[in-house]
Amino acid sequence: MERPLVCVGALVWGKDGRVLLVRTTKWRGLWGVPGGKVEWGETLLDAVQREFQEEVGLRLEDVQYAQTQESVLSGEFHRPAHMLLVDFLATTGDHDVTPNEEIEEWAWVHLHEALEYPLNTVTRSLVTLALRQGEA
């Protein structure tokens, strides 16, 4: 029996105040934030740290819970999936992205400019939350 996947992601500020957006192979050309599935026995915090290291080569600091979202059979995702997405806000001291094979493109942008990108729905929600909280 299939069950929902627990996934993590984070909106991350660099030392110059810009946030990292990525375009991956999994969201049909839409932009989002690095993240992925939580592995068995792994905490949410460990998972988001690992995913950032694997996908973009960045170490996260000041990781804080932001929200939990649900994506059920979204046409934006590359295959049918039911995901519980646990979102975080964080910082990093490094701007040097080392992308893995999933990352097609990336950009450091000011938070208020992020909504100008074709974001997937869950990332748009996270950016909107950060803007409402005055994280710009």
Side-chain angles (χ1 to χ4, degrees):
M1 175 195 310
E2 288 203 55
R3 299 194 184 279
L5 298 169
V6 178
C7 301
V8 292
L11 185 61
V12 174
W13 279 259
K15 56 185 174 238
D16 69 352
R18 294 180 297 161
V19 296
L20 177 64
L21 297 178
V22 296
R23 190 167 57 82
T24 74
T25 58
K26 295 186 176 179
W27 287 94
R28 300 190 190 271
L30 298 173
W31 288 72
V33 296
K37 294 188 283 289
V38 178
E39 295 178 355
W40 180 261
E42 185 176 46
T43 67
L44 296 171
L45 186 57
D46 287 345
V48 75
Q49 293 275 12
R50 176 185 51 75
E51 284 289 343
F52 262 77
Q53 191 64 50
E54 289 175 3
E55 291 190 2
V56 292
L58 297 177
R59 285 192 37 79
L60 299 183
E61 302 165 5
D62 306 317
V63 182
Q64 298 177 24
Y65 171 80
Q67 66 181 1
T68 300
Q69 301 186 69
E70 190 173 38
S71 177
V72 181
L73 306 176
S74 170
E76 294 177 348
F77 199 63
H78 71 108
R79 64 175 178 79
H82 180 173
M83 296 178 281
L84 296 177
L85 302 124
V86 182
D87 295 330
F88 294 90
L89 304 174
T91 62
T92 184
D94 193 0
H95 275 97
D96 296 328
V97 172
T98 307
N100 73 0
E101 68 282 349
E102 290 181 28
I103 306 298
E104 296 179 311
E105 192 175 355
W106 66 91
W108 289 97
V109 303
H110 292 287
L111 184 61
H112 64 277
E113 297 170 338
L115 293 178
E116 298 170 15
Y117 281 72
L119 301 175
N120 63 49
T121 302
V122 292
T123 300
R124 184 166 297 279
S125 171
L126 180 57
V127 168
T128 300
L129 175 72
L131 284 166
R132 275 199 322 262
Q133 291 181 351
E135 298 289 342

